[in-house]
Amino acid sequence: MYKIESKNVDFFYGPSQALKNINLAIKPNTVTALIGPSGCGKSTYLRLFNRMNDLIDNTKIAGQVIIDGDDIYAKGVNVDSLRKKVGMVFQKPNPFPKTIFENVAYGLRVNGITDKKFIEERVEETIKQVVLWDEVKDKLKKSAFELSGGQQQRLCIARALAIQPSIILMDEPTSALDPISTSKVEELIYELKTKYTIVIVTHNMQQAGRVSDTTAFFYMGELIEYDTTKTIFTNPKVERTQNYITGRFG
Amino acid sequence: MKTFYKKFSEKFIEGLLLLSSTITTLTVLLIVVFLFKEGLGVFNQKPVEEGFVIALNKQNPVNKLSSAQLKNIFDQNITNWIEVGGKKDSIILFRMEDITNYYSEEQIGEQYENLPQCISKVVDSLPNIIAFFSTKYLDKNFQGKQLDIDKISFKEFFSGKEWFPTAQPSAQLGVLPLILGTLWVSLGAILLALPLGLAAAIYMSEIANENVRKIMKPLIELLAGIPSVVYGFFGLVIIVPLIQKTFDLPVGETGLAGSIVLGIMALPTIITISEDAMRNTPRAMKEASLALGASKWQTIYKVVVPYSISGITAGAILGIGRAIGETMAVLMVTGNAAVIPHTILEPVRTIPATIAAELGEASNGGLHYKALFALGCILFIITLIINLTVEYISNRKKYNNR
Ligand SMILES: Nc1ncnc2c1ncn2[C@@H]1O[C@H](COP(=O)(O)OP(=O)(O)OP(=O)(O)O)[C@@H](O)[C@H]1O
Ligand SMILES: [Mg+2]
């Protein structure tokens, strides 16, 4: 049983096709890395899983994206509930202009939870989960903007975790961070794997190698190769994959 | 040679720019100084027009009367001296034309040559008289006592409840009804325009697709360019009769009509400024909210509106600013009664409308003229406060956005 499947997926921004016939299946509790040169469609593909591309005018999708057995683009699908199940962490830390506490509580509140004690417990629990608690426990009522970039990004991960999704999408989550913050986030991803299915876009090959179980290589809107990370990095079947990876390493 | 030209022309342009900015600054300063000099002049004036005398009988213990008391006496609202601190006697009013009740035309003389003596005698003979007449007819040996009249005080000016700048014998310069009228109408306008404007701004920035927005935005901006007389005309022809019918009033020219017209006029300001602010909400912030399963509406009121709140406030305040200073349209639809309004269904009069309506009939340099300038000063201060508030709010926004 796969957690996420995409079958013959095409995607269009207006007249221009950004994804061509993508077939891919992701097992639960794994980390999948999406790699490839800039503009090849990684973000576009990732954002299909929580229907974030719906926000862009004039877009069109063909094919099927199936999560937990259901086609998420079928008629009558509740997008808000889908997004509760599929959390997302963005490239740049983007906390709300609210307090640290309220940032993490936001997802709970918009989902109708009002029990104060429950919210407090869940907020504390998730902030601990992203190993941020010791750094912020004394300033939960301060603005989230007062945190460093790396702390903000971990806060954004906590914000996504608070509503307990089963899938987490990450679009270059460490590209705006320093090396120490980056390794903290990577450790976190490694731990989160036990509970969540994670799909991560990254330009950092070492990172893909460190955190992912499987890797998908995209090139100009096409999925060129998809295999275990080990195979992709040591023994890719397609030459273009090989070139890209060695190019990136070299 | 070439470099000389270049240097010369640079210096020349620099000089021109300096000159024009100096001229602008000086002009603004001059206007402000002139406004306040004329306006403050009102506190150097007496409410009784220059060239007129108010006189009492020598035996009358009353030595001073306020402007309001004078008005009430001559309007016969006060009929007994005891009400103004005198003896218990009925007040006898005497205006110049009343002289014929006491003396025949022959006695006064063809050229009124005996009029001063006649007046003097009348005042002397009636202990309860109060006389109002021109200084021209003040006898050299006048037998009564001329009443001492105070200059107009700040307190009288700002707390006076009546505005009759041309009342005889004593002008009533209470600006309270005008200030209240202005505030009432503006407040009503903003109460109408803010929800409507905010809704339109939210619709345009968050809901409408690009094509609808491309049509709506210029239309709304066009609304800002319509001359205010046109709005006034529209109000007079459509809104005033509508209000009259709906509320079954004797007249439809009311504060409410003013509020509606001003509200419509303030809409473009509110919509464009708050729409710009909302569109400036970073996309990432909205996406973060939606990605957490928040609905579009939750995202709007929990993220977009709080994020752009300073822009929205600035839009609202600038909208009020426009409403407060607006003259023509208000003049046409509010009925212009200078009384303190109790409901929005009564006629009111605003400061700018007063200035526009009365400046033409006020004699240059006179009391009325100066009083209108003082109104101008009040308006200037109100709008200054509004502009400073906007400045403060938009500065705070810069700081918050970092
Ligand atoms: N909002 C949009 N409207 C139109 N075209 C878009 C839009 N977003 C992306 N594209 C196009 O779709 C293609 C894929 O873009 P995408 O952002 O998915 O690439 P990416 O692999 O994530 O690149 P990067 O590594 O630089 O983030 C690009 O050619 C891009 O120009
Ligand atoms: Mg991308």
Side-chain angles (χ1 to χ4, degrees), chain A residues 13 37 51 62 70-71 74 76-77 83 88-89 98 105 109-110 136 140 144 153 168 172 176 179 189 206 223 233:
Chain A
Y13 289 107
R51 295 189 57 167
D70 298 319
D71 182 355
V77 167
R83 288 177 185 155
M88 185 162 208
V89 177
K98 298 178 188 287
R109 293 198 197 283
V110 296
V136 303
L140 292 174
Q153 191 64 311
I168 300 171
E172 303 184 43
I189 293 171
Q206 284 92 339
L223 176 60
F233 276 72

PDB file of all heavy atoms in Angstrom, chain A residues 13 37 51 62 70-71 74 76-77 83 88-89 98 105 109-110 136 140 144 153 168 172 176 179 189 206 223 233:
ATOM      1  N   TYR A  13       0.898  25.517 -16.614  1.00  0.00           N
ATOM      2  CA  TYR A  13       0.710  26.919 -16.229  1.00  0.00           C
ATOM      3  C   TYR A  13       0.244  27.619 -17.492  1.00  0.00           C
ATOM      4  O   TYR A  13       1.061  27.885 -18.379  1.00  0.00           O
ATOM      5  CB  TYR A  13       2.015  27.559 -15.770  1.00  0.00           C
ATOM      6  CG  TYR A  13       2.527  27.084 -14.427  1.00  0.00           C
ATOM      7  CD1 TYR A  13       3.625  26.239 -14.344  1.00  0.00           C
ATOM      8  CD2 TYR A  13       1.919  27.507 -13.246  1.00  0.00           C
ATOM      9  CE1 TYR A  13       4.114  25.826 -13.119  1.00  0.00           C
ATOM     10  CE2 TYR A  13       2.408  27.098 -12.008  1.00  0.00           C
ATOM     11  CZ  TYR A  13       3.499  26.257 -11.953  1.00  0.00           C
ATOM     12  OH  TYR A  13       3.973  25.855 -10.749  1.00  0.00           O
ATOM     13  N   PRO A  37      17.691  20.132 -11.706  1.00  0.00           N
ATOM     14  CA  PRO A  37      18.114  21.522 -11.913  1.00  0.00           C
ATOM     15  C   PRO A  37      16.966  22.508 -11.715  1.00  0.00           C
ATOM     16  O   PRO A  37      15.796  22.126 -11.759  1.00  0.00           O
ATOM     17  CB  PRO A  37      18.605  21.536 -13.364  1.00  0.00           C
ATOM     18  CG  PRO A  37      18.021  20.333 -14.005  1.00  0.00           C
ATOM     19  CD  PRO A  37      17.831  19.330 -12.941  1.00  0.00           C
ATOM     20  N   ARG A  51      -2.514  20.517  -3.025  1.00  0.00           N
ATOM     21  CA  ARG A  51      -3.305  21.370  -3.922  1.00  0.00           C
ATOM     22  C   ARG A  51      -3.001  22.851  -3.735  1.00  0.00           C
ATOM     23  O   ARG A  51      -3.887  23.697  -3.825  1.00  0.00           O
ATOM     24  CB  ARG A  51      -4.804  21.088  -3.746  1.00  0.00           C
ATOM     25  CG  ARG A  51      -5.147  19.676  -4.190  1.00  0.00           C
ATOM     26  CD  ARG A  51      -6.623  19.402  -4.256  1.00  0.00           C
ATOM     27  NE  ARG A  51      -7.351  20.312  -5.130  1.00  0.00           N
ATOM     28  CZ  ARG A  51      -8.614  20.107  -5.523  1.00  0.00           C
ATOM     29  NH1 ARG A  51      -9.253  18.998  -5.135  1.00  0.00           N
ATOM     30  NH2 ARG A  51      -9.222  20.969  -6.290  1.00  0.00           N
ATOM     31  N   ALA A  62      -3.784  17.125 -15.268  1.00  0.00           N
ATOM     32  CA  ALA A  62      -4.388  15.916 -15.832  1.00  0.00           C
ATOM     33  C   ALA A  62      -3.742  14.720 -15.146  1.00  0.00           C
ATOM     34  O   ALA A  62      -2.643  14.833 -14.617  1.00  0.00           O
ATOM     35  CB  ALA A  62      -4.156  15.870 -17.342  1.00  0.00           C
ATOM     36  N   ASP A  70      -7.278   7.746  -2.074  1.00  0.00           N
ATOM     37  CA  ASP A  70      -8.287   8.616  -2.687  1.00  0.00           C
ATOM     38  C   ASP A  70      -7.652   9.594  -3.661  1.00  0.00           C
ATOM     39  O   ASP A  70      -6.613  10.184  -3.367  1.00  0.00           O
ATOM     40  CB  ASP A  70      -9.020   9.423  -1.604  1.00  0.00           C
ATOM     41  CG  ASP A  70      -9.751   8.506  -0.645  1.00  0.00           C
ATOM     42  OD1 ASP A  70     -10.349   7.516  -1.115  1.00  0.00           O
ATOM     43  OD2 ASP A  70      -9.691   8.775   0.579  1.00  0.00           O
ATOM     44  N   ASP A  71      -8.319   9.800  -4.786  1.00  0.00           N
ATOM     45  CA  ASP A  71      -7.858  10.804  -5.739  1.00  0.00           C
ATOM     46  C   ASP A  71      -8.164  12.184  -5.168  1.00  0.00           C
ATOM     47  O   ASP A  71      -9.328  12.559  -5.003  1.00  0.00           O
ATOM     48  CB  ASP A  71      -8.592  10.611  -7.074  1.00  0.00           C
ATOM     49  CG  ASP A  71      -8.106  11.607  -8.129  1.00  0.00           C
ATOM     50  OD1 ASP A  71      -7.279  12.489  -7.786  1.00  0.00           O
ATOM     51  OD2 ASP A  71      -8.550  11.493  -9.283  1.00  0.00           O
ATOM     52  N   ALA A  74     -10.316  14.578  -7.253  1.00  0.00           N
ATOM     53  CA  ALA A  74     -11.668  14.179  -7.632  1.00  0.00           C
ATOM     54  C   ALA A  74     -12.648  15.271  -7.223  1.00  0.00           C
ATOM     55  O   ALA A  74     -12.356  16.120  -6.383  1.00  0.00           O
ATOM     56  CB  ALA A  74     -12.022  12.863  -6.958  1.00  0.00           C
ATOM     57  N   GLY A  76     -15.587  17.132  -5.350  1.00  0.00           N
ATOM     58  CA  GLY A  76     -16.142  17.029  -4.009  1.00  0.00           C
ATOM     59  C   GLY A  76     -15.111  16.828  -2.908  1.00  0.00           C
ATOM     60  O   GLY A  76     -15.478  16.690  -1.744  1.00  0.00           O
ATOM     61  N   VAL A  77     -13.821  16.812  -3.278  1.00  0.00           N
ATOM     62  CA  VAL A  77     -12.801  16.671  -2.241  1.00  0.00           C
ATOM     63  C   VAL A  77     -12.717  17.966  -1.428  1.00  0.00           C
ATOM     64  O   VAL A  77     -12.721  19.063  -1.985  1.00  0.00           O
ATOM     65  CB  VAL A  77     -11.430  16.358  -2.874  1.00  0.00           C
ATOM     66  CG1 VAL A  77     -10.311  16.530  -1.867  1.00  0.00           C
ATOM     67  CG2 VAL A  77     -11.427  14.950  -3.432  1.00  0.00           C
ATOM     68  N   ARG A  83      -5.503  19.535   3.346  1.00  0.00           N
ATOM     69  CA  ARG A  83      -4.322  20.274   3.801  1.00  0.00           C
ATOM     70  C   ARG A  83      -4.042  20.052   5.279  1.00  0.00           C
ATOM     71  O   ARG A  83      -2.940  20.292   5.753  1.00  0.00           O
ATOM     72  CB  ARG A  83      -4.490  21.766   3.503  1.00  0.00           C
ATOM     73  CG  ARG A  83      -4.379  22.046   2.012  1.00  0.00           C
ATOM     74  CD  ARG A  83      -4.609  23.488   1.686  1.00  0.00           C
ATOM     75  NE  ARG A  83      -4.601  23.695   0.235  1.00  0.00           N
ATOM     76  CZ  ARG A  83      -5.231  24.694  -0.359  1.00  0.00           C
ATOM     77  NH1 ARG A  83      -5.927  25.556   0.360  1.00  0.00           N
ATOM     78  NH2 ARG A  83      -5.181  24.801  -1.661  1.00  0.00           N
ATOM     79  N   MET A  88       2.917  21.459   5.227  1.00  0.00           N
ATOM     80  CA  MET A  88       3.936  21.959   4.306  1.00  0.00           C
ATOM     81  C   MET A  88       4.892  22.906   5.017  1.00  0.00           C
ATOM     82  O   MET A  88       4.487  23.727   5.832  1.00  0.00           O
ATOM     83  CB  MET A  88       3.268  22.685   3.142  1.00  0.00           C
ATOM     84  CG  MET A  88       4.247  23.133   2.080  1.00  0.00           C
ATOM     85  SD  MET A  88       3.381  23.493   0.543  1.00  0.00           S
ATOM     86  CE  MET A  88       4.665  23.156  -0.638  1.00  0.00           C
ATOM     87  N   VAL A  89       6.174  22.760   4.688  1.00  0.00           N
ATOM     88  CA  VAL A  89       7.189  23.692   5.183  1.00  0.00           C
ATOM     89  C   VAL A  89       7.809  24.360   3.966  1.00  0.00           C
ATOM     90  O   VAL A  89       8.154  23.690   2.999  1.00  0.00           O
ATOM     91  CB  VAL A  89       8.263  22.944   5.998  1.00  0.00           C
ATOM     92  CG1 VAL A  89       9.360  23.908   6.444  1.00  0.00           C
ATOM     93  CG2 VAL A  89       7.631  22.256   7.197  1.00  0.00           C
ATOM     94  N   LYS A  98       2.674  37.004  14.557  1.00  0.00           N
ATOM     95  CA  LYS A  98       1.991  36.746  15.821  1.00  0.00           C
ATOM     96  C   LYS A  98       3.041  36.248  16.809  1.00  0.00           C
ATOM     97  O   LYS A  98       4.215  36.140  16.464  1.00  0.00           O
ATOM     98  CB  LYS A  98       0.932  35.658  15.643  1.00  0.00           C
ATOM     99  CG  LYS A  98      -0.182  35.994  14.662  1.00  0.00           C
ATOM    100  CD  LYS A  98      -1.131  34.800  14.553  1.00  0.00           C
ATOM    101  CE  LYS A  98      -2.151  35.003  13.445  1.00  0.00           C
ATOM    102  NZ  LYS A  98      -3.179  35.988  13.751  1.00  0.00           N
ATOM    103  N   ALA A 105      -0.074  27.515  17.572  1.00  0.00           N
ATOM    104  CA  ALA A 105      -1.474  27.218  17.885  1.00  0.00           C
ATOM    105  C   ALA A 105      -2.405  27.491  16.704  1.00  0.00           C
ATOM    106  O   ALA A 105      -3.553  27.030  16.688  1.00  0.00           O
ATOM    107  CB  ALA A 105      -1.916  28.049  19.097  1.00  0.00           C
ATOM    108  N   ARG A 109      -6.305  26.308  16.106  1.00  0.00           N
ATOM    109  CA  ARG A 109      -7.423  27.250  16.223  1.00  0.00           C
ATOM    110  C   ARG A 109      -8.268  27.270  14.952  1.00  0.00           C
ATOM    111  O   ARG A 109      -9.490  27.253  15.023  1.00  0.00           O
ATOM    112  CB  ARG A 109      -6.911  28.661  16.518  1.00  0.00           C
ATOM    113  CG  ARG A 109      -6.262  28.787  17.891  1.00  0.00           C
ATOM    114  CD  ARG A 109      -6.175  30.263  18.306  1.00  0.00           C
ATOM    115  NE  ARG A 109      -5.232  30.491  19.381  1.00  0.00           N
ATOM    116  CZ  ARG A 109      -5.477  30.205  20.656  1.00  0.00           C
ATOM    117  NH1 ARG A 109      -6.642  29.679  21.003  1.00  0.00           N
ATOM    118  NH2 ARG A 109      -4.571  30.436  21.571  1.00  0.00           N
ATOM    119  N   VAL A 110      -7.625  27.311  13.793  1.00  0.00           N
ATOM    120  CA  VAL A 110      -8.438  27.376  12.569  1.00  0.00           C
ATOM    121  C   VAL A 110      -9.182  26.068  12.337  1.00  0.00           C
ATOM    122  O   VAL A 110     -10.125  26.016  11.552  1.00  0.00           O
ATOM    123  CB  VAL A 110      -7.629  27.732  11.301  1.00  0.00           C
ATOM    124  CG1 VAL A 110      -7.038  29.110  11.410  1.00  0.00           C
ATOM    125  CG2 VAL A 110      -6.584  26.692  10.998  1.00  0.00           C
ATOM    126  N   VAL A 136      12.976  28.724  23.374  1.00  0.00           N
ATOM    127  CA  VAL A 136      11.870  29.701  23.325  1.00  0.00           C
ATOM    128  C   VAL A 136      10.922  29.643  24.518  1.00  0.00           C
ATOM    129  O   VAL A 136      10.002  30.449  24.609  1.00  0.00           O
ATOM    130  CB  VAL A 136      11.016  29.537  22.032  1.00  0.00           C
ATOM    131  CG1 VAL A 136      11.885  29.677  20.805  1.00  0.00           C
ATOM    132  CG2 VAL A 136      10.281  28.211  22.029  1.00  0.00           C
ATOM    133  N   LEU A 140       7.487  32.692  24.828  1.00  0.00           N
ATOM    134  CA  LEU A 140       6.382  32.229  23.981  1.00  0.00           C
ATOM    135  C   LEU A 140       5.455  33.368  23.580  1.00  0.00           C
ATOM    136  O   LEU A 140       4.779  33.319  22.558  1.00  0.00           O
ATOM    137  CB  LEU A 140       5.580  31.153  24.713  1.00  0.00           C
ATOM    138  CG  LEU A 140       6.311  29.829  24.928  1.00  0.00           C
ATOM    139  CD1 LEU A 140       5.483  28.897  25.790  1.00  0.00           C
ATOM    140  CD2 LEU A 140       6.636  29.177  23.601  1.00  0.00           C
ATOM    141  N   ALA A 144       7.235  36.118  16.811  1.00  0.00           N
ATOM    142  CA  ALA A 144       8.041  35.080  16.158  1.00  0.00           C
ATOM    143  C   ALA A 144       9.169  35.697  15.339  1.00  0.00           C
ATOM    144  O   ALA A 144      10.167  35.034  15.059  1.00  0.00           O
ATOM    145  CB  ALA A 144       7.158  34.223  15.269  1.00  0.00           C
ATOM    146  N   GLN A 153      12.535  28.664  11.171  1.00  0.00           N
ATOM    147  CA  GLN A 153      12.203  27.535  10.318  1.00  0.00           C
ATOM    148  C   GLN A 153      11.752  26.338  11.160  1.00  0.00           C
ATOM    149  O   GLN A 153      10.798  25.648  10.812  1.00  0.00           O
ATOM    150  CB  GLN A 153      13.395  27.171   9.417  1.00  0.00           C
ATOM    151  CG  GLN A 153      13.077  26.190   8.300  1.00  0.00           C
ATOM    152  CD  GLN A 153      12.071  26.727   7.274  1.00  0.00           C
ATOM    153  OE1 GLN A 153      11.019  27.246   7.642  1.00  0.00           O
ATOM    154  NE2 GLN A 153      12.390  26.595   6.007  1.00  0.00           N
ATOM    155  N   ILE A 168       4.355  15.278   5.331  1.00  0.00           N
ATOM    156  CA  ILE A 168       4.926  16.618   5.401  1.00  0.00           C
ATOM    157  C   ILE A 168       5.705  16.897   4.125  1.00  0.00           C
ATOM    158  O   ILE A 168       6.576  16.126   3.736  1.00  0.00           O
ATOM    159  CB  ILE A 168       5.855  16.778   6.616  1.00  0.00           C
ATOM    160  CG1 ILE A 168       5.063  16.534   7.897  1.00  0.00           C
ATOM    161  CG2 ILE A 168       6.446  18.177   6.663  1.00  0.00           C
ATOM    162  CD1 ILE A 168       5.937  16.455   9.109  1.00  0.00           C
ATOM    163  N   GLU A 172      12.796  22.875  -0.163  1.00  0.00           N
ATOM    164  CA  GLU A 172      14.096  23.444   0.182  1.00  0.00           C
ATOM    165  C   GLU A 172      14.077  24.079   1.571  1.00  0.00           C
ATOM    166  O   GLU A 172      14.338  25.269   1.711  1.00  0.00           O
ATOM    167  CB  GLU A 172      14.514  24.485  -0.864  1.00  0.00           C
ATOM    168  CG  GLU A 172      14.556  23.897  -2.267  1.00  0.00           C
ATOM    169  CD  GLU A 172      15.065  24.908  -3.285  1.00  0.00           C
ATOM    170  OE1 GLU A 172      16.037  25.597  -2.967  1.00  0.00           O
ATOM    171  OE2 GLU A 172      14.487  24.994  -4.374  1.00  0.00           O
ATOM    172  N   ALA A 176      17.727  28.565   3.256  1.00  0.00           N
ATOM    173  CA  ALA A 176      17.972  29.898   3.796  1.00  0.00           C
ATOM    174  C   ALA A 176      18.662  29.835   5.159  1.00  0.00           C
ATOM    175  O   ALA A 176      18.712  30.823   5.872  1.00  0.00           O
ATOM    176  CB  ALA A 176      16.648  30.657   3.898  1.00  0.00           C
ATOM    177  N   PRO A 179      24.761  26.413   8.356  1.00  0.00           N
ATOM    178  CA  PRO A 179      25.049  24.976   8.446  1.00  0.00           C
ATOM    179  C   PRO A 179      24.570  24.343   9.752  1.00  0.00           C
ATOM    180  O   PRO A 179      24.061  23.213   9.739  1.00  0.00           O
ATOM    181  CB  PRO A 179      26.577  24.913   8.360  1.00  0.00           C
ATOM    182  CG  PRO A 179      26.967  26.171   7.670  1.00  0.00           C
ATOM    183  CD  PRO A 179      25.951  27.197   8.039  1.00  0.00           C
ATOM    184  N   ILE A 189      14.297  15.828  10.565  1.00  0.00           N
ATOM    185  CA  ILE A 189      13.635  15.073   9.491  1.00  0.00           C
ATOM    186  C   ILE A 189      13.830  13.579   9.719  1.00  0.00           C
ATOM    187  O   ILE A 189      12.902  12.780   9.586  1.00  0.00           O
ATOM    188  CB  ILE A 189      14.209  15.483   8.115  1.00  0.00           C
ATOM    189  CG1 ILE A 189      13.825  16.933   7.805  1.00  0.00           C
ATOM    190  CG2 ILE A 189      13.701  14.561   7.016  1.00  0.00           C
ATOM    191  CD1 ILE A 189      14.520  17.504   6.587  1.00  0.00           C
ATOM    192  N   GLN A 206      24.288  16.316  -0.742  1.00  0.00           N
ATOM    193  CA  GLN A 206      24.654  15.672   0.521  1.00  0.00           C
ATOM    194  C   GLN A 206      23.429  15.496   1.391  1.00  0.00           C
ATOM    195  O   GLN A 206      23.235  14.476   2.034  1.00  0.00           O
ATOM    196  CB  GLN A 206      25.703  16.503   1.279  1.00  0.00           C
ATOM    197  CG  GLN A 206      27.104  16.391   0.710  1.00  0.00           C
ATOM    198  CD  GLN A 206      27.378  17.498  -0.313  1.00  0.00           C
ATOM    199  OE1 GLN A 206      26.436  18.086  -0.866  1.00  0.00           O
ATOM    200  NE2 GLN A 206      28.651  17.756  -0.575  1.00  0.00           N
ATOM    201  N   LEU A 223      10.058  13.084 -15.100  1.00  0.00           N
ATOM    202  CA  LEU A 223      10.712  12.275 -14.073  1.00  0.00           C
ATOM    203  C   LEU A 223      11.680  11.341 -14.800  1.00  0.00           C
ATOM    204  O   LEU A 223      11.275  10.439 -15.532  1.00  0.00           O
ATOM    205  CB  LEU A 223       9.666  11.459 -13.310  1.00  0.00           C
ATOM    206  CG  LEU A 223      10.214  10.491 -12.259  1.00  0.00           C
ATOM    207  CD1 LEU A 223      10.992  11.230 -11.188  1.00  0.00           C
ATOM    208  CD2 LEU A 223       9.088   9.691 -11.630  1.00  0.00           C
ATOM    209  N   PHE A 233      22.464   7.480  -6.148  1.00  0.00           N
ATOM    210  CA  PHE A 233      23.732   8.155  -5.901  1.00  0.00           C
ATOM    211  C   PHE A 233      24.949   7.317  -6.279  1.00  0.00           C
ATOM    212  O   PHE A 233      26.006   7.863  -6.553  1.00  0.00           O
ATOM    213  CB  PHE A 233      23.834   8.578  -4.428  1.00  0.00           C
ATOM    214  CG  PHE A 233      23.150   9.886  -4.160  1.00  0.00           C
ATOM    215  CD1 PHE A 233      21.760   9.971  -4.166  1.00  0.00           C
ATOM    216  CD2 PHE A 233      23.873  11.041  -3.947  1.00  0.00           C
ATOM    217  CE1 PHE A 233      21.118  11.164  -3.952  1.00  0.00           C
ATOM    218  CE2 PHE A 233      23.242  12.243  -3.736  1.00  0.00           C
ATOM    219  CZ  PHE A 233      21.854  12.315  -3.738  1.00  0.00           C
TER     220      PHE A 233
END
